Amino acid sequence: MYLWIIAAAAAYFIKGLCGFANTLVFPSILSFGASNANISPIDLLLGYPTNLVLTGKNRKSLDPKGYLPLATLVLAGISLILKNL
């Protein structure tokens, strides 16, 4: 359990610094002790709220026509992945 907390903290610290790379760091750390089938859904569930926070901070420079369809597709994809596990 400690490895999961350390991996999440490291991944989202890096995401806070540069805006991406959590999906590179989180599975890389956890792949030493967990299956990817267990890692990916958690990464998706943790990543979506942080993406919403980053979007909220940068909302003045974003076009809703660009990110609303993508956000809908991401939610649909997450629900399909979690439903099929």
Side-chain angles (χ1 to χ4, degrees), residues 37-58:
N38 296 330
I39 297 169
S40 295
I42 301 300
D43 190 24
L44 289 172
L45 289 173
L46 291 174
Y48 197 72
T50 57
N51 289 336
L52 288 176
V53 169
L54 289 173
T55 302
K57 288 184 177 182
N58 298 312

